[in-house]
Amino acid sequence: MTEMTETTELYQLTLTEAAAKLQSREISAQELTAACLDRLESTEPALQACLTVLADQALEDAALLDRAGPDPDQLLWGLPLTFKDIYCTKGVRTSAASRMLRRYIPSYDAEVVTRIKKAGAVVLAKTNLDEFAMGSTTEFSAFGPTRNPWNPAKVPGGSSGGAAASIAACQSPGALGTDTGGSIRQPAALCGCVGLKPTYGRVSRYGLIAYASSLDQPGPLARRVIDCARLLQVMAGPDDRDNTVSTRPVDDYLSARPAPLRGLRLGLPRELWESRLDEETSAILKAALKTLEEAGVELKTLSLPHLPHSVAAYYILATAEASTNLARYDGVRYGHRADDPQSLRDLYVASRSEALGPEVRRRILLGTFALSSGYYDAYFKKAAKVRRLIRDDFFRALEECDFLCSPVSPLTAWDFGKFTDDPLTAYQMDLMTLPVNLAGLPGLSLPAGLAPGGLPVGWQLIGRPFGERDLLGAGLALEEAFPPLT
Amino acid sequence: MPIDLTTVLHTAELARLDLTYGLAPDKAQAALDKLAAEMSGIIGHFDQLSAVDTEGVEPLYSPMLEPLGPREDCPRAGSAPEDLLSQAPERLGHFFAVPKIL
């Protein structure tokens, strides 16, 4: 959180502010990196947002940049950024917060890492997550949970919880996360910052440790909407090593301007607004809708009738994809290997059973079940059909409005352990976010206000496929009406 | 559908997981029972999909709007073998080593 001081500390600068000061040489890359590292050091004992901090390397890289001088063509010149520890980073441990990969050092960079580095950024740290991005609280990290900067007794959300907590605590001005069922948008909401899940296929997944390949999408988190625009500008675009990336031209996101609120048509999916929201969330969001209406926004309640089936469809498809993606962890080529296996089969079973955590094992089991002989049609194929119906609902609804708008999480940040013994209820907490992944649409999560208990409440805008520029414009307008919390 | 212990154990076998790995025998049964109950609850929730009318609906396995064709089949630089072998838990020369199977 930003502390109210007379002068803004360097670490408090937003990404866009810092970029301007770096380009004009008002501040140096080394000064900013050092300020972020100091901030990180003072906040990290309470938060545990980072799994690896690259202090020496970051300062060295910043010094190199300063020696060469700012380059106006490098959109992220001199900015210290963090990566969720699920992006492969060459020569830097990439654990996916799993015992399985606790000693894994990739020999290559993910495409997004390559692009971000090429744009002049400094890699500051690798952030915490739920193991293999499976979870919504970071409680499933094999290295311990991250805490919410607004209240350390509460979860930061997940799975990109380390990224969101780090941004909210001003450890860095920008972070790269991934969103499979809400893993960028939900922690952004719970930590009071901004998170963007791009359209499926806008950003390369090359070098991301895979969870569910038809749902995973990399995206940015930051303290301002325009910061996310800058990061997306660098991330987006074709990559011939990921055949699911679109070859459509990348829009000029940086030129996005706040959309006029008067006449903006927002569709409110009834099935999400009428589901169980806690009192604080409901009160803040209803007041926010009223403010929008007074500003001339046309609000229209719409029905997306298949949304209530999203949780079931998602958890069948995501776990099925996870069960196949995680079959590669067999103790042979990389990752954890059990000691003294008696046979090849024993090597597989012991290595996997020792090193995969409880939620990952649960999802592998669910997915294996949904794909197994006798159940494939009834579960996996059926879920894929329902997925099409859900996407059709979205396409129809988006014909009747400019954007859809919904809550991000039914609850403000909750206590640790709240859903530990109730995985089904935990899964149902994802109802607001995961339909967007099923449909492959872009979603922008941003703060709507602060609840009386002192915790942030977020909401999201959902746009048309590849409509990120318009989505950012609408987000900028909402950000003017509802000031940032961090 | 309710998930019994046999189904849980069969599924774990398919996934090469030992669900009671490292647990004392008195804890093992309780862990399996708990997991079977959780899975029954979750798969029971999945069962709501059977009521959705999907007659004539094509499954959607990927949200890509314009699937790309295969890449041109031409040689390109890949990872160096030594890089890939560097992460092996055990190796013999240029091979990944595993326990004897015969």
Coordinates of all heavy atoms in Angstrom, one line a residue, chain B residues 19-90:
Chain B
L19 N -1.5 -42.8 -3.0 CA -2.2 -41.8 -2.2 C -1.9 -41.9 -0.7 O -2.2 -41.0 0.1 CB -3.7 -41.9 -2.4 CG -4.2 -41.7 -3.8 CD1 -5.7 -41.9 -4.0 CD2 -3.8 -40.2 -4.3
T20 N -1.3 -43.0 -0.3 CA -0.9 -43.1 1.1 C 0.6 -43.1 1.3 O 1.1 -43.6 2.3 CB -1.6 -44.4 1.7 OG1 -1.1 -45.5 0.9 CG2 -3.1 -44.4 1.6
Y21 N 1.3 -42.6 0.3 CA 2.7 -42.7 0.4 C 3.3 -42.0 1.6 O 2.9 -40.9 1.9 CB 3.3 -42.0 -0.9 CG 4.8 -42.2 -1.1 CD1 5.2 -43.3 -1.8 CD2 5.7 -41.4 -0.5 CE1 6.6 -43.5 -2.0 CE2 7.1 -41.6 -0.7 CZ 7.5 -42.7 -1.4 OH 8.8 -42.9 -1.6
G22 N 4.1 -42.7 2.3 CA 4.7 -42.2 3.5 C 3.8 -42.1 4.7 O 4.3 -41.5 5.8
L23 N 2.6 -42.5 4.6 CA 1.7 -42.4 5.8 C 1.7 -43.7 6.6 O 1.9 -44.8 6.1 CB 0.2 -42.2 5.3 CG -0.1 -40.8 4.7 CD1 -1.6 -40.8 4.3 CD2 0.2 -39.7 5.6
A24 N 1.6 -43.5 7.9 CA 1.5 -44.7 8.8 C 0.2 -45.4 8.5 O -0.8 -44.8 8.1 CB 1.5 -44.2 10.3
P25 N 0.2 -46.8 8.7 CA -1.0 -47.5 8.3 C -2.3 -47.0 9.0 O -3.4 -47.0 8.3 CB -0.7 -48.9 8.8 CG 0.8 -49.0 8.9 CD 1.2 -47.6 9.2
D26 N -2.2 -46.5 10.2 CA -3.5 -46.0 10.9 C -4.0 -44.7 10.2 O -5.2 -44.4 10.2 CB -3.2 -45.9 12.4 CG -2.1 -44.9 12.7 OD1 -1.1 -45.0 11.9 OD2 -2.2 -44.0 13.6
K27 N -3.1 -44.0 9.6 CA -3.5 -42.7 9.0 C -3.9 -42.9 7.6 O -4.7 -42.1 7.0 CB -2.3 -41.7 9.0 CG -1.8 -41.3 10.4 CD -2.2 -39.9 10.7 CE -2.0 -39.5 12.2 NZ -0.5 -39.3 12.5
A28 N -3.4 -44.0 7.0 CA -3.6 -44.2 5.5 C -5.1 -44.4 5.2 O -5.6 -43.8 4.3 CB -2.8 -45.4 5.1
Q29 N -5.8 -45.2 6.0 CA -7.2 -45.5 5.7 C -8.0 -44.2 5.8 O -8.8 -43.9 5.0 CB -7.7 -46.6 6.6 CG -9.1 -47.1 6.2 CD -9.1 -47.6 4.7 OE1 -8.2 -48.4 4.3 NE2 -10.1 -47.3 3.9
A30 N -7.7 -43.4 6.8 CA -8.5 -42.2 7.1 C -8.2 -41.2 5.9 O -9.2 -40.6 5.4 CB -8.0 -41.5 8.4
A31 N -7.0 -41.2 5.4 CA -6.7 -40.3 4.3 C -7.4 -40.7 3.0 O -8.0 -39.8 2.3 CB -5.2 -40.3 4.0
L32 N -7.5 -42.0 2.8 CA -8.2 -42.5 1.6 C -9.7 -42.2 1.7 O -10.3 -41.8 0.7 CB -8.0 -44.0 1.4 CG -6.6 -44.4 0.9 CD1 -6.5 -45.9 0.9 CD2 -6.4 -43.8 -0.5
D33 N -10.3 -42.4 2.9 CA -11.7 -42.2 3.1 C -12.0 -40.7 2.9 O -13.0 -40.4 2.2 CB -12.1 -42.6 4.5 CG -12.1 -44.1 4.7 OD1 -12.1 -44.8 3.6 OD2 -12.0 -44.6 5.8
K34 N -11.2 -39.9 3.4 CA -11.4 -38.4 3.2 C -11.4 -38.0 1.7 O -12.2 -37.3 1.2 CB -10.3 -37.6 4.0 CG -10.5 -36.1 4.0 CD -9.6 -35.5 5.1 CE -9.7 -34.0 5.1 NZ -8.8 -33.4 4.3
L35 N -10.4 -38.6 1.0 CA -10.2 -38.2 -0.4 C -11.4 -38.8 -1.2 O -11.9 -38.1 -2.1 CB -8.9 -38.8 -0.9 CG -8.4 -38.3 -2.3 CD1 -8.2 -36.8 -2.2 CD2 -7.1 -39.0 -2.6
A36 N -11.9 -40.0 -0.9 CA -13.0 -40.5 -1.6 C -14.3 -39.7 -1.3 O -15.0 -39.4 -2.3 CB -13.3 -42.0 -1.1
A37 N -14.4 -39.2 -0.1 CA -15.6 -38.3 0.2 C -15.5 -37.0 -0.6 O -16.5 -36.5 -1.1 CB -15.6 -38.1 1.7
E38 N -14.3 -36.4 -0.6 CA -14.1 -35.1 -1.3 C -14.4 -35.3 -2.8 O -15.1 -34.5 -3.5 CB -12.7 -34.6 -1.1 CG -12.4 -34.0 0.2 CD -10.9 -33.7 0.5 OE1 -10.1 -34.0 -0.4 OE2 -10.6 -33.2 1.5
M39 N -13.8 -36.4 -3.3 CA -14.0 -36.7 -4.8 C -15.5 -36.9 -5.1 O -16.0 -36.5 -6.1 CB -13.2 -37.8 -5.3 CG -11.7 -37.4 -5.4 SD -10.7 -38.6 -6.2 CE -11.4 -38.7 -7.9
S40 N -16.2 -37.6 -4.2 CA -17.6 -37.9 -4.4 C -18.4 -36.5 -4.5 O -19.3 -36.3 -5.3 CB -18.2 -38.7 -3.3 OG -17.8 -40.0 -3.4
G41 N -18.0 -35.6 -3.6 CA -18.7 -34.3 -3.5 C -18.4 -33.5 -4.8 O -19.3 -33.0 -5.4
I42 N -17.1 -33.5 -5.3 CA -16.8 -32.8 -6.4 C -17.4 -33.4 -7.7 O -18.0 -32.7 -8.5 CB -15.2 -32.6 -6.5 CG1 -14.7 -31.9 -5.3 CG2 -14.8 -32.0 -7.8 CD1 -13.2 -32.0 -5.2
I43 N -17.3 -34.7 -7.8 CA -17.8 -35.3 -9.0 C -19.3 -35.3 -9.0 O -20.0 -35.1 -10.0 CB -17.2 -36.7 -9.2 CG1 -15.7 -36.6 -9.5 CG2 -17.9 -37.5 -10.3 CD1 -14.9 -37.8 -9.4
G44 N -19.9 -35.3 -7.8 CA -21.3 -35.1 -7.7 C -21.7 -33.7 -8.2 O -22.8 -33.6 -8.9
H45 N -20.9 -32.7 -8.0 CA -21.2 -31.4 -8.5 C -21.0 -31.4 -10.1 O -21.8 -30.8 -10.8 CB -20.2 -30.4 -7.9 CG -20.4 -29.0 -8.4 ND1 -21.3 -28.2 -8.0 CD2 -19.7 -28.3 -9.4 CE1 -21.3 -27.0 -8.6 NE2 -20.2 -27.0 -9.5
F46 N -20.0 -32.2 -10.6 CA -19.9 -32.3 -12.0 C -21.1 -32.9 -12.7 O -21.4 -32.6 -13.8 CB -18.7 -33.2 -12.4 CG -17.3 -32.7 -12.0 CD1 -16.2 -33.5 -12.1 CD2 -17.1 -31.3 -11.6 CE1 -14.9 -33.0 -11.8 CE2 -15.9 -30.9 -11.3 CZ -14.8 -31.7 -11.4
D47 N -21.8 -33.7 -11.9 CA -22.9 -34.5 -12.5 C -24.1 -33.6 -13.0 O -24.9 -34.0 -13.7 CB -23.4 -35.5 -11.5 CG -22.5 -36.7 -11.4 OD1 -21.8 -37.0 -12.4 OD2 -22.5 -37.4 -10.4
Q48 N -24.1 -32.3 -12.5 CA -25.1 -31.4 -12.9 C -25.1 -31.2 -14.4 O -26.1 -30.8 -15.0 CB -25.0 -30.0 -12.2 CG -23.7 -29.3 -12.6 CD -23.7 -27.9 -12.1 OE1 -24.1 -27.0 -12.8 NE2 -23.2 -27.6 -10.9
L49 N -23.9 -31.4 -15.0 CA -23.8 -31.2 -16.5 C -24.7 -32.2 -17.3 O -25.1 -31.8 -18.4 CB -22.4 -31.4 -16.9 CG -21.4 -30.3 -16.4 CD1 -20.0 -30.5 -17.1 CD2 -21.8 -28.9 -16.6
S50 N -25.0 -33.3 -16.7 CA -25.8 -34.3 -17.4 C -27.2 -33.7 -17.7 O -27.9 -34.2 -18.7 CB -25.9 -35.6 -16.6 OG -26.6 -35.4 -15.4
A51 N -27.6 -32.7 -16.9 CA -29.0 -32.1 -17.2 C -28.9 -31.1 -18.3 O -30.0 -30.6 -18.7 CB -29.5 -31.5 -15.9
V52 N -27.8 -30.7 -18.7 CA -27.7 -29.6 -19.8 C -27.9 -30.2 -21.1 O -27.3 -31.3 -21.5 CB -26.3 -28.9 -19.8 CG1 -26.2 -27.8 -20.8 CG2 -26.0 -28.4 -18.4
D53 N -28.8 -29.6 -21.9 CA -29.1 -30.1 -23.2 C -28.0 -29.7 -24.2 O -27.8 -28.6 -24.5 CB -30.5 -29.5 -23.7 CG -30.8 -30.0 -25.1 OD1 -30.1 -30.9 -25.7 OD2 -31.9 -29.5 -25.6
T54 N -27.2 -30.7 -24.6 CA -26.1 -30.5 -25.5 C -26.3 -31.2 -26.8 O -25.3 -31.4 -27.6 CB -24.8 -30.9 -24.9 OG1 -24.9 -32.2 -24.5 CG2 -24.4 -30.0 -23.7
E55 N -27.6 -31.5 -27.1 CA -27.9 -32.2 -28.4 C -27.4 -31.4 -29.6 O -27.7 -30.2 -29.7 CB -29.4 -32.4 -28.4 CG -29.9 -33.2 -29.6 CD -29.5 -34.7 -29.4 OE1 -29.5 -35.2 -28.3 OE2 -29.1 -35.3 -30.5
G56 N -26.6 -31.9 -30.4 CA -26.1 -31.2 -31.6 C -25.0 -30.2 -31.3 O -24.6 -29.5 -32.3
V57 N -24.5 -30.1 -30.1 CA -23.5 -29.1 -29.8 C -22.1 -29.8 -30.0 O -21.8 -30.8 -29.5 CB -23.6 -28.6 -28.3 CG1 -22.5 -27.6 -28.0 CG2 -25.0 -27.9 -28.1
E58 N -21.2 -29.1 -30.7 CA -19.9 -29.6 -30.9 C -19.0 -29.3 -29.7 O -19.1 -28.2 -29.2 CB -19.2 -28.9 -32.2 CG -19.6 -29.6 -33.5 CD -19.2 -31.0 -33.6 OE1 -18.0 -31.3 -33.4 OE2 -20.0 -31.9 -33.8
P59 N -18.2 -30.2 -29.2 CA -17.3 -29.9 -28.1 C -16.4 -28.8 -28.5 O -16.0 -28.7 -29.6 CB -16.6 -31.2 -27.8 CG -17.1 -32.2 -28.7 CD -18.0 -31.6 -29.7
L60 N -16.1 -27.9 -27.5 CA -15.1 -26.8 -27.7 C -13.9 -27.1 -26.9 O -13.9 -27.0 -25.7 CB -15.7 -25.5 -27.3 CG -14.8 -24.3 -27.5 CD1 -14.6 -23.9 -29.0 CD2 -15.4 -23.0 -26.8
Y61 N -12.8 -27.6 -27.5 CA -11.6 -28.0 -26.7 C -10.6 -26.9 -26.6 O -9.7 -26.9 -25.8 CB -11.0 -29.2 -27.4 CG -11.8 -30.5 -27.3 CD1 -12.4 -31.0 -28.5 CD2 -12.2 -31.0 -26.1 CE1 -13.2 -32.2 -28.4 CE2 -13.0 -32.1 -26.0 CZ -13.5 -32.7 -27.2 OH -14.3 -33.8 -27.1
S62 N -10.7 -25.9 -27.5 CA -9.8 -24.7 -27.5 C -10.6 -23.5 -27.9 O -11.4 -23.6 -28.8 CB -8.6 -24.9 -28.4 OG -8.0 -23.7 -28.6
P63 N -10.4 -22.4 -27.2 CA -11.1 -21.2 -27.6 C -10.5 -20.4 -28.7 O -10.9 -19.3 -29.0 CB -11.1 -20.3 -26.3 CG -9.8 -20.7 -25.6 CD -9.5 -22.2 -26.0
M64 N -9.5 -21.0 -29.4 CA -8.9 -20.3 -30.5 C -9.9 -20.0 -31.5 O -10.7 -20.9 -31.9 CB -7.8 -21.1 -31.1 CG -6.5 -21.2 -30.3 SD -5.3 -22.3 -31.1 CE -4.9 -21.3 -32.6
L65 N -9.9 -18.7 -32.0 CA -10.9 -18.4 -33.0 C -10.5 -18.8 -34.4 O -11.3 -19.2 -35.3 CB -11.1 -16.9 -33.0 CG -11.8 -16.3 -31.8 CD1 -11.9 -14.8 -31.9 CD2 -13.2 -16.9 -31.6
E66 N -9.2 -18.7 -34.7 CA -8.7 -19.1 -36.1 C -7.5 -20.1 -35.9 O -6.4 -19.6 -35.9 CB -8.4 -17.9 -36.9 CG -7.4 -16.9 -36.3 CD -8.1 -15.6 -35.8 OE1 -9.0 -15.1 -36.4 OE2 -7.6 -15.1 -34.8
P67 N -7.8 -21.3 -35.7 CA -6.7 -22.3 -35.5 C -5.7 -22.2 -36.7 O -6.1 -22.1 -37.8 CB -7.4 -23.6 -35.5 CG -8.8 -23.3 -35.2 CD -9.1 -22.0 -35.7
L68 N -4.4 -22.2 -36.3 CA -3.4 -22.1 -37.3 C -3.1 -23.5 -37.8 O -3.2 -24.5 -37.1 CB -2.2 -21.5 -36.7 CG -2.4 -20.1 -36.0 CD1 -1.1 -19.6 -35.3 CD2 -2.8 -19.1 -37.1
G69 N -2.6 -23.5 -39.0 CA -2.2 -24.8 -39.5 C -0.8 -25.2 -39.0 O -0.3 -24.5 -38.2
P70 N -0.3 -26.3 -39.5 CA 1.0 -26.8 -39.0 C 2.1 -25.8 -39.5 O 1.9 -25.1 -40.5 CB 1.2 -28.2 -39.6 CG 0.1 -28.3 -40.7 CD -0.9 -27.3 -40.4
R71 N 3.2 -25.7 -38.8 CA 4.3 -24.9 -39.2 C 5.0 -25.5 -40.4 O 4.8 -26.7 -40.6 CB 5.3 -24.8 -38.0 CG 4.9 -24.0 -36.9 CD 6.2 -23.8 -36.0 NE 6.6 -25.0 -35.4 CZ 6.4 -25.3 -34.1 NH1 5.7 -24.5 -33.4 NH2 6.8 -26.4 -33.6
E72 N 5.7 -24.7 -41.1 CA 6.5 -25.3 -42.2 C 7.5 -26.3 -41.6 O 8.1 -26.1 -40.5 CB 7.3 -24.1 -42.8 CG 7.6 -24.4 -44.3 CD 8.4 -23.2 -44.9 OE1 8.0 -22.1 -44.5 OE2 9.2 -23.5 -45.7
D73 N 7.7 -27.4 -42.3 CA 8.5 -28.4 -41.8 C 10.0 -28.2 -42.3 O 10.4 -28.5 -43.4 CB 8.0 -29.8 -42.4 CG 8.8 -30.9 -41.8 OD1 9.5 -30.7 -40.8 OD2 8.7 -32.1 -42.4
C74 N 10.7 -27.5 -41.4 CA 12.1 -27.2 -41.8 C 12.9 -27.2 -40.5 O 12.4 -27.0 -39.4 CB 12.2 -25.8 -42.4 SG 11.5 -24.5 -41.4
P75 N 14.2 -27.5 -40.7 CA 15.1 -27.6 -39.5 C 15.3 -26.3 -38.8 O 15.3 -25.3 -39.5 CB 16.4 -28.2 -40.1 CG 16.3 -27.9 -41.5 CD 14.9 -27.8 -41.9
R76 N 15.4 -26.3 -37.5 CA 15.6 -25.1 -36.8 C 16.4 -25.4 -35.5 O 16.4 -26.6 -35.0 CB 14.3 -24.4 -36.4 CG 13.3 -25.3 -35.8 CD 11.9 -24.7 -36.1 NE 11.2 -24.5 -34.9 CZ 10.3 -23.5 -34.7 NH1 10.1 -22.6 -35.6 NH2 9.7 -23.4 -33.6
A77 N 17.0 -24.4 -34.9 CA 17.8 -24.6 -33.8 C 16.9 -25.1 -32.6 O 15.9 -24.5 -32.3 CB 18.6 -23.4 -33.4
G78 N 17.3 -26.1 -31.9 CA 16.6 -26.5 -30.7 C 17.5 -26.4 -29.5 O 18.5 -25.7 -29.6
S79 N 17.1 -27.0 -28.4 CA 18.0 -27.0 -27.2 C 19.2 -27.9 -27.4 O 19.1 -28.9 -28.0 CB 17.2 -27.4 -26.0 OG 16.2 -26.5 -25.8
A80 N 20.3 -27.5 -26.9 CA 21.5 -28.3 -26.9 C 21.3 -29.5 -26.0 O 20.8 -29.4 -24.9 CB 22.7 -27.5 -26.5
P81 N 21.7 -30.7 -26.5 CA 21.5 -31.9 -25.7 C 22.1 -31.8 -24.3 O 21.4 -32.2 -23.3 CB 22.2 -33.0 -26.5 CG 22.2 -32.5 -27.9 CD 22.3 -31.0 -27.8
E82 N 23.2 -31.2 -24.2 CA 23.8 -31.0 -22.9 C 23.0 -30.2 -21.9 O 22.9 -30.5 -20.7 CB 25.2 -30.4 -23.0 CG 26.1 -30.5 -21.8 CD 26.2 -31.9 -21.2 OE1 26.3 -32.9 -22.1 OE2 26.2 -32.1 -20.0
D83 N 22.3 -29.1 -22.5 CA 21.4 -28.3 -21.6 C 20.3 -29.2 -21.1 O 19.9 -29.0 -19.9 CB 20.8 -27.2 -22.5 CG 21.8 -26.0 -22.7 OD1 22.8 -26.0 -22.0 OD2 21.5 -25.2 -23.6
L84 N 19.7 -30.0 -21.9 CA 18.6 -30.8 -21.5 C 19.0 -31.9 -20.5 O 18.3 -32.2 -19.6 CB 17.9 -31.4 -22.7 CG 17.3 -30.4 -23.7 CD1 16.6 -31.0 -24.9 CD2 16.3 -29.4 -23.0
L85 N 20.1 -32.4 -20.7 CA 20.6 -33.5 -19.8 C 21.1 -32.9 -18.5 O 21.2 -33.6 -17.5 CB 21.8 -34.2 -20.5 CG 21.4 -35.3 -21.5 CD1 22.5 -35.6 -22.5 CD2 20.9 -36.6 -20.8
S86 N 21.3 -31.6 -18.4 CA 21.9 -31.0 -17.2 C 21.0 -31.1 -16.0 O 21.4 -31.0 -14.9 CB 22.3 -29.5 -17.5 OG 21.1 -28.8 -17.6
Q87 N 19.7 -31.3 -16.3 CA 18.7 -31.3 -15.2 C 18.3 -32.7 -14.8 O 17.5 -33.0 -14.0 CB 17.4 -30.5 -15.6 CG 17.7 -29.0 -15.8 CD 18.2 -28.4 -14.6 OE1 17.5 -28.5 -13.5 NE2 19.3 -27.7 -14.6
A88 N 18.9 -33.7 -15.5 CA 18.6 -35.1 -15.2 C 19.0 -35.5 -13.8 O 20.1 -35.2 -13.3 CB 19.3 -36.0 -16.2
P89 N 18.1 -36.2 -13.1 CA 18.4 -36.7 -11.7 C 19.6 -37.7 -11.8 O 20.4 -37.7 -10.9 CB 17.2 -37.3 -11.2 CG 16.1 -36.8 -12.1 CD 16.7 -36.5 -13.4
E90 N 19.6 -38.4 -12.9 CA 20.7 -39.4 -13.0 C 21.0 -39.6 -14.5 O 20.0 -39.7 -15.3 CB 20.3 -40.8 -12.4 CG 21.5 -41.7 -12.2 CD 21.1 -43.1 -11.7 OE1 19.9 -43.2 -11.1 OE2 21.8 -44.0 -11.8

